[in-house]
Amino acid sequence: MTDPNQQLDLLFGSFARSSWRWECQGDYAIDAAALQRWRDGRPADMTRKAPWLQYIREITAAGKTFDRVRMLTEPPTEYLRWLVEQTDSNIDAGEDIRWITQSAAAELGMPSYDFYLFDDSRVAIMRFGPDKLLSDLEIRDEPDVVARHRAYRDAVWPRAMPHSDYYAPRST
């Protein structure tokens, strides 16, 4: 069986123009120490995130886009409250991240699974196990499947709130 994380890494390395993600789980696996730092009100340790941020800077410098919409459960889970406060570094690196409430996403008929849309021509449907880790990646490029996922993106993107409008960091 192929490791879904390796499959995803290959997709990250092969798209030519754009990557777009629908992110709708209320919780994902997280480093417990990172969450505890946040609970304690201490600044994030950016060491683990540095390779991702460097990757985003490189692809956006090359003219590629990396966008996502994150769904906020109602009420937001602790994970999502933490994530909101961790997103500025992604924005600074070049990602365009937007937020939408669960009820607004439901009104739009958004799916209950996460997916990436690469170059408007390939979909990577993500499934997570009980441990909240990525357990399966289904890669599809059939025109009807791609068109359905482009329609999801086109419906939610203009309704989602840019991160800078949603969240203003606490002043220190």
Side-chain angles (χ1 to χ4, degrees):
M1 184 170 172
T2 306
D3 179 346
N5 291 296
Q6 289 177 347
Q7 288 179 291
L8 200 52
D9 285 346
L10 289 172
L11 290 168
F12 288 152
S14 66
F15 75 92
R17 295 175 316 282
S18 63
S19 171
W20 188 90
R21 180 170 176 183
W22 168 242
E23 196 170 306
C24 64
Q25 308 309 302
D27 289 293
Y28 298 87
I30 183 176
D31 180 323
L35 187 58
Q36 191 59 51
R37 285 180 70 87
W38 174 76
R39 287 178 183 142
D40 294 343
R42 295 183 293 150
D45 175 3
M46 299 304 288
T47 306
R48 96 183 150 75
K49 199 173 181 181
W52 178 257
L53 298 176
Q54 181 59 34
Y55 165 74
I56 295 299
R57 283 189 288 273
E58 289 170 4
I59 65 165
T60 56
K64 298 177 184 181
T65 60
F66 203 99
D67 305 332
R68 67 176 88 210
V69 171
R70 291 176 170 158
M71 187 186 77
L72 292 161
T73 58
E74 296 166 309
T77 62
E78 181 182 49
Y79 169 84
L80 288 170
R81 292 191 315 272
W82 168 83
L83 187 62
V84 165
E85 291 190 28
Q86 306 303 308
T87 296
D88 282 337
S89 59
N90 295 66
I91 301 296
D92 292 343
E95 286 190 62
D96 187 346
I97 298 175
R98 300 181 183 193
W99 301 91
I100 193 164
T101 62
Q102 187 173 13
S103 56
E107 286 174 17
L108 295 172
M110 294 301 292
S112 60
Y113 57 86
D114 289 25
F115 69 89
Y116 276 98
L117 179 60
F118 293 102
D119 293 328
D120 282 343
S121 63
R122 181 175 291 166
V123 176
I125 297 171
M126 306 169 77
R127 293 186 185 82
F128 297 86
D131 57 4
K132 302 188 186 331
L133 293 170
L134 181 62
S135 61
D136 184 55
L137 192 69
E138 181 184 346
I139 301 169
R140 307 284 299 269
D141 60 4
E142 300 91 338
D144 62 321
V145 173
V146 172
R148 181 172 60 252
H149 288 82
R150 280 195 314 242
Y152 288 141
R153 180 207 51 208
D154 294 347
V156 74
W157 188 251
R159 292 266 315 266
M161 183 178 297
H163 179 71
S164 61
D165 293 347
Y166 178 73
Y167 175 74
R170 290 178 271 187
S171 56
T172 53

